[in-house]
Amino acid sequence: DFNGAKREIEIALDLDEKYVKAWARKGDIEVLMKENHKAMESYKKGLAIDATNAACKEGLRKVTAMVNYGSANMTEEERKERAAHAMADPEIQSILQDPVINQVLRDFQENPNAANQAMLDPSVRTKIEKLIASGILQTG
């Protein structure tokens, strides 16, 4: 039961948010749950605590590869399933309702220079990366 395992990891992190191994395991579980955007965030949080942690480095490398290369090999049905799964996530819904993000998404189509400028903002960049990792946005 991945949800139960994730709850246990979250309890461990509530007790000690600097427990890097728990961040790595949380990322691993999120990958198995097809929550790549959350997995990337978990691995990054672990690496922020210990930049040399092998499990977080490897997990982040793998999930990034899955996001970058995996979507290119997915069938249309798999892409739709991945996007539907992401749309059920309240965090993704919140990002999609953000007027700044909506403007950036329009700018990618209409005004690429403005979109590139907006991507210099770490908050905007993080949100766009989550949309890509979740399968909502396709690149390439």
Side-chain angles (χ1 to χ4, degrees):
D1 172 28
F2 293 133
N3 285 321
K6 189 174 176 183
R7 276 192 303 275
E8 294 297 319
I9 294 290
E10 287 170 346
I11 290 169
L13 288 168
D14 285 343
L15 295 172
D16 181 4
E17 65 183 30
K18 296 199 181 298
Y19 186 22
V20 178
K21 186 175 180 180
W23 284 114
R25 295 300 165 258
K26 185 174 188 238
D28 294 345
I29 291 167
E30 289 163 339
V31 167
L32 293 171
M33 295 174 71
K34 299 180 182 178
E35 295 177 338
N36 293 338
H37 60 292
K38 291 182 179 182
M40 290 177 92
E41 189 173 326
S42 293
Y43 293 132
K44 286 178 182 178
K45 285 183 179 179
L47 289 170
I49 298 163
D50 177 5
T52 65
N53 183 274
C56 287
K57 280 178 152 178
E58 182 63 12
L60 183 59
R61 186 194 64 74
K62 284 182 179 178
V63 77
T64 301
M66 286 171 54
V67 169
N68 291 338
Y69 306 109
S71 61
N73 298 321
M74 287 182 166
T75 66
E76 190 61 30
E77 186 176 317
E78 289 170 325
R79 280 191 191 94
K80 286 180 182 177
E81 178 186 336
R82 182 176 171 203
H85 182 76
M87 288 301 292
D89 185 328
E91 181 182 15
I92 296 299
Q93 291 174 10
S94 173
I95 292 171
L96 289 171
Q97 292 172 2
D98 183 329
V100 172
I101 298 302
N102 279 300
Q103 182 60 52
V104 172
L105 294 175
R106 277 192 299 279
D107 286 344
F108 276 121
Q109 296 291 321
E110 301 164 6
N111 188 353
N113 288 336
N116 288 333
Q117 190 65 33
M119 290 295 285
L120 297 175
D121 179 327
S123 173
V124 170
R125 182 179 221 41
T126 298
K127 290 178 180 180
I128 296 294
E129 286 173 350
K130 284 182 183 182
L131 292 178
I132 293 168
S134 70
I136 297 295
L137 282 183
Q138 303 293 317
T139 58

